[in-house]
Amino acid sequence: DQVEAMTMGERICVLKEGRIQQFDTPAKLYNAPANTFVASFIGSPEMNMLDATLTVAGGTASAALLGASGSFTTAGLPGLDGVPVKLGLRPENVLVNASAAADGLWLDAELSHIEYMGSEVFAYFKVGSTAITSRVPANQSAAVAALKRGERARIGLELAHAHWFDAAIGNNLKPSH
């Protein structure tokens, strides 16, 4: 049980089919997952995984995904110009109807449904056929609560908090993130 392991363990070993994927502290598993399996396994709701292509020039990169692109500053992503990647983004780094933030990518989305969890709200969106989840603290959820199922909204992906994974093998391209 991942919740029990994260709350009680000082170091946790994540296994897949009998192979060690990552052995680390709970904070490192959450904030610097070694691969897409660990990223999706740790956290609830799980990390959003989106297909993207990076364009890297100097210390700036742009990510193209879901018909849009956004720029962000980066270090440690050499040799990835034009390479297909998986963008991993935790639900708390998906903004809903907020003002545009630096290092963000804004998309038009359709609300699928909302889950009220007490101290937080999970909002599930679709951009085309791609599902994206947002986690919003309950005391900041007025914009989300006002939305109706099927209604359009602007969601912002905070690229400064993104994880970049090799699309073919799933390894984190910037594991010390």
Side-chain angles (χ1 to χ4, degrees):
D1 177 349
Q2 68 156 301
V3 173
E4 186 174 346
M6 292 289 280
T7 57
M8 296 180 65
E10 292 179 20
R11 293 188 63 80
I12 301 167
C13 184
V14 178
L15 299 169
K16 179 183 177 190
E17 299 173 357
R19 293 179 190 249
I20 295 174
Q21 301 297 303
Q22 188 171 352
F23 179 65
D24 227 322
T25 64
K28 280 290 237 183
L29 291 173
Y30 190 81
N31 295 313
N35 56 41
T36 54
F37 178 79
V38 175
S40 295
F41 183 73
I42 300 295
S44 180
E46 71 182 51
M47 183 181 280
N48 294 291
M49 288 290 175
L50 309 170
D51 293 323
T53 302
L54 290 179
T55 302
V56 182
T60 303
S62 68
L65 67 149
L66 301 173
S69 66
S71 295
F72 59 99
T73 55
T74 186
L77 292 173
L80 295 177
D81 193 41
V83 174
V85 294
K86 290 276 187 190
L87 178 153
L89 197 63
R90 295 278 179 208
E92 59 268 23
N93 300 121
V94 177
L95 308 175
V96 181
N97 286 343
S99 60
D103 290 345
L105 173 65
W106 291 87
L107 303 166
D108 289 316
E110 179 181 312
L111 179 68
S112 176
H113 64 285
I114 295 173
E115 292 178 352
Y116 294 94
M117 306 302 289
S119 64
E120 57 193 4
V121 174
F122 300 158
Y124 299 89
F125 294 93
K126 288 240 182 222
V127 177
S129 62
T130 301
I132 299 177
T133 305
S134 176
R135 173 186 300 171
V136 181
N139 63 353
Q140 299 171 16
S141 68
V144 175
L147 294 173
K148 305 277 186 264
R149 185 183 303 251
E151 194 171 346
R152 306 293 296 170
R154 292 283 286 165
I155 60 172
L157 309 181
E158 293 184 299
L159 296 180
H161 299 286
H163 298 268
W164 303 97
F165 301 95
D166 181 296
I169 59 174
N171 288 340
N172 194 332
L173 298 169
K174 200 174 168 186
S176 62
H177 179 62

